[in-house]
Amino acid sequence: MRRVVLYMMTSVDGFIAGPDGDLDWMISPDEERQAEGLEQLDAIDTALIGRGVYEDMVRYWPTASGEYADRINAMPKLVFSRRSEQLSWNNAHIVPVAGDADLAEQVTRLKSEPGKDMVLFGGARLAQSFVRLALVDEYRLCVQPVALGSGRPLFGDLESRTALTLTATHPFPSGAALTTYRPAQPN
């Protein structure tokens, strides 16, 4: 069965965007982090994206070059949206969702299909919905060496505690650290 891997950049204090949605606090990846990103793509064949993040990504990625960009551009991108419309980025397709029950059904179906893992890039609302609905199988949080004090939290709308088990940490020369968690098994 395929898994959903949530990959997000976070501040040390758990924010994925600043107070005005700003992302200028994220540091550029060093060579080691770039190599780790390519290695992670080996196990992934589909990107899951919210409509807002799609709009941000489509401004950059289709014209970006390099091995990472080539792989992102080639893989299927499923854009979860309440609106149905044509998308301009190659291999991007709308997955219509009308609410949480529909989202859970669509993701459960995708997990049962053959293929490699799927990476959830976000945005915030989509990631929060996946977390709240227990659809995330692994969390890969790239913690940036900055505390924002306020902004958009990754775990902002949880209705109950979500226990996680740390499975790996990988510090980078830039000061960022990749922390990997899996949902904790109930006792």
Side-chain angles (χ1 to χ4, degrees):
M1 179 175 266
R2 301 169 84 186
R3 300 176 316 143
V4 170
V5 176
L6 171 67
Y7 183 85
M8 284 278 190
M9 303 282 192
T10 71
S11 64
V12 172
D13 50 351
F15 295 103
I16 58 175
D20 297 319
D22 57 301
L23 303 173
D24 61 345
W25 50 272
M26 293 181 186
I27 58 174
S28 295
D30 51 52
E31 284 184 31
E32 189 175 326
R33 197 168 116 213
Q34 288 176 352
E36 181 273 333
L38 284 171
E39 183 179 311
Q40 286 191 39
L41 285 180
D42 290 340
I44 292 166
D45 67 2
T46 305
L48 309 176
I49 308 168
R51 186 73 172 100
V53 168
Y54 170 82
E55 292 297 330
D56 290 337
M57 291 179 82
V58 77
R59 286 192 275 271
Y60 172 77
W61 287 104
T63 59
S65 60
E67 187 177 357
Y68 190 86
D70 292 346
R71 290 168 80 179
I72 292 290
N73 284 321
M75 79 171 46
K77 292 160 280 293
L78 303 180
V79 181
F80 293 83
S81 179
R82 295 179 191 273
R83 302 181 306 204
S84 181
E85 58 190 85
Q86 291 293 101
L87 301 176
S88 60
W89 194 4
N90 68 310
N91 296 324
H93 308 279
I94 291 283
V95 176
V97 289
D100 282 354
D102 195 33
L103 176 63
E105 182 180 315
Q106 293 278 17
V107 173
T108 300
R109 178 186 56 77
L110 289 167
K111 284 183 172 188
S112 70
E113 293 176 354
K116 296 181 180 180
D117 290 344
M118 300 172 285
V119 62
L120 172 60
F121 286 129
R125 283 190 306 258
L126 183 62
Q128 288 171 347
S129 293
F130 270 66
V131 171
R132 189 178 61 257
L133 296 169
L135 298 172
V136 177
D137 301 296
E138 184 172 277
Y139 296 81
R140 293 182 189 160
L141 306 177
C142 189
V143 181
Q144 304 290 292
V146 62
L148 298 177
S150 65
R152 184 170 295 143
L154 173 57
F155 300 105
D157 72 344
L158 287 180
E159 296 166 354
S160 62
R161 182 179 302 177
T162 300
L164 304 174
T165 300
L166 179 67
T167 60
T169 58
H170 186 149
F172 298 106
S174 63
L178 181 67
T179 58
T180 304
Y181 298 90
R182 291 208 173 107
Q185 299 301 319
N187 294 333

